[in-house]
Amino acid sequence: MSLAFARKIRVVTVLFVTSLFLVSALLGTSESSEQNVLRLSLEEAIELAIAESETVMQSGNDITKSGYRRSEAISAALPHVNADVGYNYYPKVQTVDMVMPGAGPISVELKDDFDMTTSVTLEQPIYTFGKIHNAIRAATIAREVSRFSKDAVEREVSYETAKAYITVLLAQEALKIARESYNNAESTRAILDERFAMGRVPKSDGIKAQADVAARVPVLKESESDLDLAMRHLKRLVGAHESQHVVLTDALARRFPRYDADAALADMFEIEPRLKLLDRSIDFNAAIAKKEKAQYFPTIGAFANYTLFGQSDNAWIGSEKLQNLGTIGLNIRVPIWNGNKTWAVYQQALIDKANAELSLRRANKDLELELRNAISEYDSMLATYKANREAVRLSRESFQAQQDSFRSGGKTLTDLNDAEMQLTRNRLNEAVTLYKINNSIASIERLISGEGEKSWKNRVAQ
């Protein structure tokens, strides 16, 4: 093999190995880039936000905690068994002098120096006039209230996420409009240069064309900043990393449902978890009031006790000195006077119940007004959006006509710039109106969505 051929072999080998490394590096970069992209639909964003929400987690903990409280209330109705062990030493034992007939006084010790007591006691409430029953009922209702509270929190998180999602979509549309406006200004300047290709552009027109381009830069930068802020908020809700690239796969809804106010109100009163929560809160406070009222009545219970007792003058008490004792009986505890404490606590419970009723009444009125306002605003926005679309169509045709006329010298630079600015304004108005419509849909669905086909995620994502 010649030296030149060997060198060629080495060069080819080096190039081949280098190409393998380059391909591997490019594939690794592509895979890493793909892994750093998070594609989100509205439904997926809501699911992630619910899973990441600390408030939802706390609500779940409250449900678990309320379950333990119910177990605590039930334990009052079950037997209680307690064991006690006592070992006592008496350095000085009490004595009694006894005088016997025909003899002098005799000093008698009342007990030995050491004693030990081991006892097991069983206590079982028999009848408490509603103290335990209403405590258990209140704890059961409290667990239901915790569940409704979690449902309400999830609904609020869903609504906040939907708003954040559509806000990002609005910011993306606004940025797109700002870029196209900037490009239109650049295009106008290029047309101006074409018109005077054989001569010199008038100084005033040249400066104005440059000023029109420069004037659009701050709007473009502000739109980029608005999008960045909106995306940061959405990332915070769904738990995405700051460096992660998020791509939204859904667009702003352009097919709009119709809402009947009376039917929507019926759905809201049937479904809304906040109303259910407040309704059950009335029952909870009623149970608490009954429990406190029962404190006026006696408590009847049974008990059984087994005791192993022994005493001795020695530290070690042998088994031969231990005695077995047992007791079985009933007890009745009758409240007579506690300084009006029972009355004061009972009155507080009645006030809590009355306040819960007032809260439910206020919530019914407030939510009804909120829903009616949302539907009214939604209907108004639909009419506005139709007018916005027509305005965009006409202003775009006007701008294109002005652009063609400007090329031929029939229109001034000011005319064309005014037409372009009108088109940009109308496009922004259309985008904002579409955002408001989507926000109104989210507001309405937050109040009337339920389970299954009427679930928040299914109905809003459609």
Side-chain angles (χ1 to χ4, degrees):
M1 182 183 294
S2 66
L3 181 61
F5 182 74
R7 287 177 178 175
K8 289 181 180 179
I9 292 294
R10 286 198 296 270
V11 169
V12 170
T13 303
V14 170
L15 291 175
F16 178 71
V17 173
T18 303
S19 65
L20 286 179
F21 277 114
L22 288 173
V23 171
S24 299
L26 289 173
L27 289 176
T29 302
S30 176
E31 291 177 0
S32 175
S33 175
E34 184 66 26
Q35 290 175 354
N36 200 39
V37 175
L38 177 62
R39 304 179 67 84
L40 284 178
S41 66
L42 176 56
E43 182 177 355
E44 291 168 341
I46 290 174
E47 290 176 351
L48 283 176
I50 291 176
E52 290 290 330
S53 172
E54 293 83 0
T55 308
V56 173
M57 295 178 190
Q58 289 175 337
S59 299
N61 291 337
D62 289 340
I63 294 176
T64 304
K65 184 178 179 181
S66 64
Y68 290 134
R69 284 179 174 171
R70 184 175 182 274
S71 298
E72 178 186 357
I74 292 175
S75 69
L78 302 177
H80 288 191
V81 180
N82 297 298
D84 294 298
V85 177
Y87 181 83
N88 301 309
Y89 166 62
Y90 305 95
K92 183 174 178 58
V93 179
Q94 183 180 2
T95 60
V96 176
D97 292 332
M98 301 181 62
V99 179
M100 303 296 294
I106 299 175
S107 180
V108 179
E109 294 181 350
L110 295 180
K111 62 191 317 178
D112 296 337
D113 293 341
F114 299 89
D115 68 33
M116 183 188 71
T117 304
T118 301
S119 65
V120 177
T121 303
L122 170 67
E123 296 177 325
Q124 172 65 57
I126 297 176
Y127 193 69
T128 62
F129 291 88
K131 297 182 185 71
I132 296 177
H133 169 73
N134 286 295
I136 295 174
R137 183 168 180 269
T140 303
I141 296 173
R143 187 168 59 176
E144 295 180 26
V145 169
S146 297
R147 290 197 182 101
F148 289 135
S149 178
K150 184 173 184 290
D151 291 343
V153 169
E154 288 184 354
R155 187 171 299 240
E156 291 304 313
V157 171
S158 300
Y159 175 60
E160 184 179 1
T161 306
K163 284 190 66 176
Y165 195 98
I166 63 178
T167 299
V168 172
L169 293 176
L170 172 64
Q172 289 176 342
E173 184 65 19
L175 178 59
K176 177 183 176 183
I177 294 171
R179 283 174 177 165
E180 292 183 4
S181 178
Y182 177 84
N183 293 336
N184 287 337
E186 287 281 13
S187 177
T188 298
R189 186 168 64 176
I191 294 173
L192 182 65
D193 292 338
E194 290 177 6
R195 280 182 55 185
F196 296 93
M198 304 302 295
R200 185 176 180 182
V201 176
K203 184 176 181 180
S204 60
D205 286 347
I207 294 175
K208 180 169 178 29
Q210 293 178 2
D212 291 339
V213 173
R216 285 160 174 77
V217 173
V219 178
L220 181 60
K221 295 300 180 182
E222 184 177 357
S223 299
E224 291 174 348
S225 176
D226 290 342
L227 176 58
D228 181 62
L229 294 176
M231 184 61 76
R232 285 175 186 269
H233 181 52
L234 181 60
K235 286 181 178 180
R236 163 66 181 87
L237 291 174
V238 301
H241 297 296
E242 177 67 23
S243 59
Q244 197 166 18
H245 181 58
V246 177
V247 177
L248 306 188
T249 60
D250 287 342
L252 291 171
R254 296 177 185 272
R255 296 175 60 185
F256 313 127
R258 288 289 180 181
Y259 294 104
D260 177 74
D262 293 333
L265 283 172
D267 286 340
M268 183 188 72
F269 290 131
E270 177 187 356
I271 292 169
E272 233 296 326
R274 285 174 291 179
L275 298 179
K276 293 183 178 180
L277 184 154
L278 292 172
D279 184 56
R280 293 301 281 162
S281 294
I282 296 174
D283 297 333
F284 169 79
N285 286 288
I288 292 295
K290 290 180 179 179
K291 180 181 79 71
E292 298 303 334
K293 186 177 181 180
Q295 301 299 326
Y296 284 111
F297 304 105
T299 298
I300 303 174
F303 68 91
N305 174 266
Y306 167 76
T307 301
L308 187 64
F309 174 77
Q311 58 182 349
S312 174
D313 287 329
N314 299 317
W316 169 254
I317 301 174
S319 60
E320 71 278 359
K321 294 185 178 182
L322 296 178
Q323 303 177 51
N324 295 297
L325 304 175
T327 307
I328 298 176
L330 295 175
N331 57 43
I332 300 178
R333 185 172 181 271
V334 182
I336 297 176
W337 173 251
N338 60 4
N340 260 352
K341 177 183 176 181
T342 302
W343 179 83
V345 174
Y346 175 55
Q347 293 302 315
Q348 292 177 55
L350 291 178
I351 291 174
D352 289 340
K353 178 176 177 291
N355 285 340
E357 293 171 347
L358 293 173
S359 296
L360 177 59
R361 188 190 309 173
R362 182 177 65 247
N364 278 322
K365 293 179 180 178
D366 291 345
L367 292 178
E368 179 179 355
L369 178 62
E370 181 180 349
L371 180 57
R372 288 190 181 277
N373 287 346
I375 293 176
S376 177
E377 181 181 13
Y378 173 72
D379 292 338
S380 175
M381 287 297 104
L382 291 181
T384 302
Y385 181 65
K386 184 178 180 180
N388 287 148
R389 294 188 64 184
E390 181 65 13
V392 169
R393 184 185 68 80
L394 294 175
S395 58
R396 180 176 280 112
E397 292 179 359
S398 174
F399 171 68
Q400 292 171 351
Q402 297 270 20
Q403 205 173 41
D404 294 338
S405 181
F406 179 71
R407 282 193 179 94
S408 61
K411 292 291 182 181
T412 65
L413 181 61
T414 300
D415 294 333
L416 181 58
N417 184 61
D418 289 344
E420 196 282 329
M421 291 297 292
Q422 184 181 25
L423 172 61
T424 299
R425 283 194 301 269
N426 288 335
R427 291 185 66 193
L428 286 173
N429 289 337
E430 179 190 17
V432 171
T433 302
L434 184 60
Y435 165 80
K436 289 181 178 179
I437 290 174
N438 279 261
N439 187 43
S440 293
I441 293 174
S443 299
I444 295 169
E445 292 294 341
R446 176 175 63 116
L447 296 173
I448 68 174
S449 61
E451 300 294 334
E453 295 180 355
K454 290 187 176 182
S455 70
W456 160 263
K457 292 179 289 187
N458 290 340
R459 291 176 65 167
V460 174
Q462 289 176 355

PDB file of all heavy atoms in Angstrom, residues 63 141 143-153 271-274 276-278 280:
ATOM      1  N   ILE A  63     -60.622  18.334  52.764  1.00  0.00           N
ATOM      2  CA  ILE A  63     -61.555  17.203  52.697  1.00  0.00           C
ATOM      3  C   ILE A  63     -61.057  16.064  53.581  1.00  0.00           C
ATOM      4  O   ILE A  63     -61.818  15.458  54.347  1.00  0.00           O
ATOM      5  CB  ILE A  63     -61.722  16.734  51.240  1.00  0.00           C
ATOM      6  CG1 ILE A  63     -62.415  17.823  50.402  1.00  0.00           C
ATOM      7  CG2 ILE A  63     -62.528  15.436  51.180  1.00  0.00           C
ATOM      8  CD1 ILE A  63     -62.524  17.476  48.938  1.00  0.00           C
ATOM      9  N   ILE A 141     -71.782  16.816  57.432  1.00  0.00           N
ATOM     10  CA  ILE A 141     -72.100  17.948  56.551  1.00  0.00           C
ATOM     11  C   ILE A 141     -70.848  18.764  56.251  1.00  0.00           C
ATOM     12  O   ILE A 141     -70.653  19.246  55.125  1.00  0.00           O
ATOM     13  CB  ILE A 141     -73.190  18.828  57.198  1.00  0.00           C
ATOM     14  CG1 ILE A 141     -74.497  18.034  57.342  1.00  0.00           C
ATOM     15  CG2 ILE A 141     -73.437  20.081  56.365  1.00  0.00           C
ATOM     16  CD1 ILE A 141     -75.569  18.765  58.117  1.00  0.00           C
ATOM     17  N   ARG A 143     -67.882  17.701  55.884  1.00  0.00           N
ATOM     18  CA  ARG A 143     -67.129  17.016  54.829  1.00  0.00           C
ATOM     19  C   ARG A 143     -67.741  17.312  53.460  1.00  0.00           C
ATOM     20  O   ARG A 143     -67.010  17.538  52.477  1.00  0.00           O
ATOM     21  CB  ARG A 143     -67.102  15.515  55.093  1.00  0.00           C
ATOM     22  CG  ARG A 143     -66.205  14.744  54.136  1.00  0.00           C
ATOM     23  CD  ARG A 143     -65.973  13.319  54.592  1.00  0.00           C
ATOM     24  NE  ARG A 143     -67.211  12.570  54.716  1.00  0.00           N
ATOM     25  CZ  ARG A 143     -67.257  11.274  55.035  1.00  0.00           C
ATOM     26  NH1 ARG A 143     -66.128  10.622  55.288  1.00  0.00           N
ATOM     27  NH2 ARG A 143     -68.410  10.647  55.135  1.00  0.00           N
ATOM     28  N   GLU A 144     -69.069  17.352  53.368  1.00  0.00           N
ATOM     29  CA  GLU A 144     -69.718  17.723  52.107  1.00  0.00           C
ATOM     30  C   GLU A 144     -69.379  19.161  51.730  1.00  0.00           C
ATOM     31  O   GLU A 144     -69.128  19.465  50.554  1.00  0.00           O
ATOM     32  CB  GLU A 144     -71.230  17.553  52.233  1.00  0.00           C
ATOM     33  CG  GLU A 144     -71.694  16.117  52.426  1.00  0.00           C
ATOM     34  CD  GLU A 144     -73.209  16.034  52.536  1.00  0.00           C
ATOM     35  OE1 GLU A 144     -73.885  16.930  51.999  1.00  0.00           O
ATOM     36  OE2 GLU A 144     -73.715  15.100  53.182  1.00  0.00           O
ATOM     37  N   VAL A 145     -69.389  20.038  52.716  1.00  0.00           N
ATOM     38  CA  VAL A 145     -69.043  21.436  52.460  1.00  0.00           C
ATOM     39  C   VAL A 145     -67.622  21.540  51.919  1.00  0.00           C
ATOM     40  O   VAL A 145     -67.341  22.326  50.997  1.00  0.00           O
ATOM     41  CB  VAL A 145     -69.199  22.272  53.756  1.00  0.00           C
ATOM     42  CG1 VAL A 145     -68.600  23.664  53.579  1.00  0.00           C
ATOM     43  CG2 VAL A 145     -70.679  22.392  54.128  1.00  0.00           C
ATOM     44  N   SER A 146     -66.700  20.734  52.454  1.00  0.00           N
ATOM     45  CA  SER A 146     -65.320  20.748  51.975  1.00  0.00           C
ATOM     46  C   SER A 146     -65.243  20.304  50.516  1.00  0.00           C
ATOM     47  O   SER A 146     -64.453  20.846  49.731  1.00  0.00           O
ATOM     48  CB  SER A 146     -64.445  19.844  52.848  1.00  0.00           C
ATOM     49  OG  SER A 146     -64.393  20.310  54.179  1.00  0.00           O
ATOM     50  N   ARG A 147     -66.064  19.321  50.155  1.00  0.00           N
ATOM     51  CA  ARG A 147     -66.073  18.863  48.759  1.00  0.00           C
ATOM     52  C   ARG A 147     -66.594  19.954  47.825  1.00  0.00           C
ATOM     53  O   ARG A 147     -66.038  20.187  46.743  1.00  0.00           O
ATOM     54  CB  ARG A 147     -66.928  17.603  48.624  1.00  0.00           C
ATOM     55  CG  ARG A 147     -66.321  16.359  49.279  1.00  0.00           C
ATOM     56  CD  ARG A 147     -66.996  15.090  48.770  1.00  0.00           C
ATOM     57  NE  ARG A 147     -66.470  13.901  49.399  1.00  0.00           N
ATOM     58  CZ  ARG A 147     -67.063  13.247  50.382  1.00  0.00           C
ATOM     59  NH1 ARG A 147     -68.219  13.678  50.848  1.00  0.00           N
ATOM     60  NH2 ARG A 147     -66.526  12.163  50.902  1.00  0.00           N
ATOM     61  N   PHE A 148     -67.676  20.612  48.233  1.00  0.00           N
ATOM     62  CA  PHE A 148     -68.205  21.706  47.411  1.00  0.00           C
ATOM     63  C   PHE A 148     -67.178  22.842  47.318  1.00  0.00           C
ATOM     64  O   PHE A 148     -67.051  23.495  46.275  1.00  0.00           O
ATOM     65  CB  PHE A 148     -69.513  22.229  47.993  1.00  0.00           C
ATOM     66  CG  PHE A 148     -70.670  21.273  47.837  1.00  0.00           C
ATOM     67  CD1 PHE A 148     -71.529  21.015  48.898  1.00  0.00           C
ATOM     68  CD2 PHE A 148     -70.903  20.630  46.639  1.00  0.00           C
ATOM     69  CE1 PHE A 148     -72.594  20.137  48.766  1.00  0.00           C
ATOM     70  CE2 PHE A 148     -71.967  19.751  46.486  1.00  0.00           C
ATOM     71  CZ  PHE A 148     -72.816  19.498  47.553  1.00  0.00           C
ATOM     72  N   SER A 149     -66.464  23.076  48.403  1.00  0.00           N
ATOM     73  CA  SER A 149     -65.434  24.113  48.387  1.00  0.00           C
ATOM     74  C   SER A 149     -64.339  23.769  47.387  1.00  0.00           C
ATOM     75  O   SER A 149     -63.858  24.638  46.648  1.00  0.00           O
ATOM     76  CB  SER A 149     -64.842  24.273  49.798  1.00  0.00           C
ATOM     77  OG  SER A 149     -63.808  25.239  49.797  1.00  0.00           O
ATOM     78  N   LYS A 150     -63.939  22.508  47.343  1.00  0.00           N
ATOM     79  CA  LYS A 150     -62.920  22.083  46.370  1.00  0.00           C
ATOM     80  C   LYS A 150     -63.447  22.236  44.947  1.00  0.00           C
ATOM     81  O   LYS A 150     -62.709  22.687  44.046  1.00  0.00           O
ATOM     82  CB  LYS A 150     -62.523  20.635  46.637  1.00  0.00           C
ATOM     83  CG  LYS A 150     -61.391  20.118  45.749  1.00  0.00           C
ATOM     84  CD  LYS A 150     -60.961  18.738  46.189  1.00  0.00           C
ATOM     85  CE  LYS A 150     -59.761  18.245  45.373  1.00  0.00           C
ATOM     86  NZ  LYS A 150     -60.125  17.950  43.987  1.00  0.00           N
ATOM     87  N   ASP A 151     -64.708  21.886  44.720  1.00  0.00           N
ATOM     88  CA  ASP A 151     -65.305  22.062  43.385  1.00  0.00           C
ATOM     89  C   ASP A 151     -65.281  23.533  42.984  1.00  0.00           C
ATOM     90  O   ASP A 151     -64.975  23.875  41.831  1.00  0.00           O
ATOM     91  CB  ASP A 151     -66.734  21.539  43.361  1.00  0.00           C
ATOM     92  CG  ASP A 151     -66.798  20.023  43.485  1.00  0.00           C
ATOM     93  OD1 ASP A 151     -65.772  19.377  43.272  1.00  0.00           O
ATOM     94  OD2 ASP A 151     -67.888  19.504  43.828  1.00  0.00           O
ATOM     95  N   ALA A 152     -65.622  24.406  43.937  1.00  0.00           N
ATOM     96  CA  ALA A 152     -65.634  25.843  43.646  1.00  0.00           C
ATOM     97  C   ALA A 152     -64.231  26.349  43.340  1.00  0.00           C
ATOM     98  O   ALA A 152     -64.032  27.161  42.420  1.00  0.00           O
ATOM     99  CB  ALA A 152     -66.235  26.607  44.828  1.00  0.00           C
ATOM    100  N   VAL A 153     -63.245  25.868  44.076  1.00  0.00           N
ATOM    101  CA  VAL A 153     -61.863  26.281  43.841  1.00  0.00           C
ATOM    102  C   VAL A 153     -61.392  25.808  42.470  1.00  0.00           C
ATOM    103  O   VAL A 153     -60.755  26.570  41.718  1.00  0.00           O
ATOM    104  CB  VAL A 153     -60.949  25.733  44.959  1.00  0.00           C
ATOM    105  CG1 VAL A 153     -59.481  25.928  44.588  1.00  0.00           C
ATOM    106  CG2 VAL A 153     -61.234  26.439  46.274  1.00  0.00           C
ATOM    107  N   ILE A 271     -76.420  23.735  39.708  1.00  0.00           N
ATOM    108  CA  ILE A 271     -75.054  23.228  39.579  1.00  0.00           C
ATOM    109  C   ILE A 271     -74.054  23.977  40.444  1.00  0.00           C
ATOM    110  O   ILE A 271     -73.143  23.363  41.014  1.00  0.00           O
ATOM    111  CB  ILE A 271     -74.625  23.308  38.090  1.00  0.00           C
ATOM    112  CG1 ILE A 271     -75.426  22.307  37.265  1.00  0.00           C
ATOM    113  CG2 ILE A 271     -73.143  23.066  37.930  1.00  0.00           C
ATOM    114  CD1 ILE A 271     -75.267  22.479  35.775  1.00  0.00           C
ATOM    115  N   GLU A 272     -74.186  25.294  40.568  1.00  0.00           N
ATOM    116  CA  GLU A 272     -73.134  26.131  41.151  1.00  0.00           C
ATOM    117  C   GLU A 272     -72.685  25.620  42.527  1.00  0.00           C
ATOM    118  O   GLU A 272     -73.476  25.570  43.464  1.00  0.00           O
ATOM    119  CB  GLU A 272     -73.637  27.569  41.281  1.00  0.00           C
ATOM    120  CG  GLU A 272     -72.730  28.613  40.661  1.00  0.00           C
ATOM    121  CD  GLU A 272     -71.382  28.698  41.333  1.00  0.00           C
ATOM    122  OE1 GLU A 272     -71.316  28.503  42.562  1.00  0.00           O
ATOM    123  OE2 GLU A 272     -70.391  28.956  40.641  1.00  0.00           O
ATOM    124  N   PRO A 273     -71.402  25.229  42.672  1.00  0.00           N
ATOM    125  CA  PRO A 273     -70.947  24.661  43.952  1.00  0.00           C
ATOM    126  C   PRO A 273     -70.939  25.665  45.098  1.00  0.00           C
ATOM    127  O   PRO A 273     -71.106  25.276  46.249  1.00  0.00           O
ATOM    128  CB  PRO A 273     -69.534  24.166  43.634  1.00  0.00           C
ATOM    129  CG  PRO A 273     -69.102  24.946  42.434  1.00  0.00           C
ATOM    130  CD  PRO A 273     -70.342  25.198  41.651  1.00  0.00           C
ATOM    131  N   ARG A 274     -70.758  26.951  44.791  1.00  0.00           N
ATOM    132  CA  ARG A 274     -70.777  27.940  45.885  1.00  0.00           C
ATOM    133  C   ARG A 274     -72.150  28.027  46.534  1.00  0.00           C
ATOM    134  O   ARG A 274     -72.255  28.188  47.753  1.00  0.00           O
ATOM    135  CB  ARG A 274     -70.350  29.312  45.349  1.00  0.00           C
ATOM    136  CG  ARG A 274     -68.862  29.431  45.078  1.00  0.00           C
ATOM    137  CD  ARG A 274     -68.510  30.734  44.418  1.00  0.00           C
ATOM    138  NE  ARG A 274     -69.013  30.799  43.055  1.00  0.00           N
ATOM    139  CZ  ARG A 274     -68.855  31.838  42.249  1.00  0.00           C
ATOM    140  NH1 ARG A 274     -68.210  32.914  42.686  1.00  0.00           N
ATOM    141  NH2 ARG A 274     -69.317  31.819  41.018  1.00  0.00           N
ATOM    142  N   LYS A 276     -74.334  25.502  46.578  1.00  0.00           N
ATOM    143  CA  LYS A 276     -74.483  24.260  47.337  1.00  0.00           C
ATOM    144  C   LYS A 276     -73.719  24.332  48.651  1.00  0.00           C
ATOM    145  O   LYS A 276     -74.187  23.857  49.696  1.00  0.00           O
ATOM    146  CB  LYS A 276     -73.993  23.079  46.504  1.00  0.00           C
ATOM    147  CG  LYS A 276     -74.845  22.788  45.277  1.00  0.00           C
ATOM    148  CD  LYS A 276     -74.335  21.551  44.551  1.00  0.00           C
ATOM    149  CE  LYS A 276     -75.211  21.216  43.356  1.00  0.00           C
ATOM    150  NZ  LYS A 276     -74.736  20.009  42.639  1.00  0.00           N
ATOM    151  N   LEU A 277     -72.544  24.924  48.583  1.00  0.00           N
ATOM    152  CA  LEU A 277     -71.734  25.075  49.796  1.00  0.00           C
ATOM    153  C   LEU A 277     -72.457  25.886  50.852  1.00  0.00           C
ATOM    154  O   LEU A 277     -72.528  25.507  52.026  1.00  0.00           O
ATOM    155  CB  LEU A 277     -70.403  25.731  49.416  1.00  0.00           C
ATOM    156  CG  LEU A 277     -69.325  25.923  50.478  1.00  0.00           C
ATOM    157  CD1 LEU A 277     -67.954  25.970  49.794  1.00  0.00           C
ATOM    158  CD2 LEU A 277     -69.509  27.218  51.258  1.00  0.00           C
ATOM    159  N   LEU A 278     -73.009  27.016  50.426  1.00  0.00           N
ATOM    160  CA  LEU A 278     -73.713  27.875  51.381  1.00  0.00           C
ATOM    161  C   LEU A 278     -74.983  27.213  51.899  1.00  0.00           C
ATOM    162  O   LEU A 278     -75.343  27.367  53.072  1.00  0.00           O
ATOM    163  CB  LEU A 278     -74.040  29.216  50.717  1.00  0.00           C
ATOM    164  CG  LEU A 278     -72.837  30.104  50.407  1.00  0.00           C
ATOM    165  CD1 LEU A 278     -73.264  31.313  49.571  1.00  0.00           C
ATOM    166  CD2 LEU A 278     -72.177  30.586  51.697  1.00  0.00           C
ATOM    167  N   ARG A 280     -75.520  23.972  52.317  1.00  0.00           N
ATOM    168  CA  ARG A 280     -75.145  22.967  53.305  1.00  0.00           C
ATOM    169  C   ARG A 280     -74.556  23.609  54.560  1.00  0.00           C
ATOM    170  O   ARG A 280     -74.620  23.021  55.649  1.00  0.00           O
ATOM    171  CB  ARG A 280     -74.144  21.988  52.707  1.00  0.00           C
ATOM    172  CG  ARG A 280     -74.722  21.122  51.616  1.00  0.00           C
ATOM    173  CD  ARG A 280     -75.907  20.314  52.136  1.00  0.00           C
ATOM    174  NE  ARG A 280     -75.499  19.153  52.906  1.00  0.00           N
ATOM    175  CZ  ARG A 280     -76.280  18.494  53.732  1.00  0.00           C
ATOM    176  NH1 ARG A 280     -77.527  18.900  53.926  1.00  0.00           N
ATOM    177  NH2 ARG A 280     -75.833  17.436  54.400  1.00  0.00           N
TER     178      ARG A 280
END
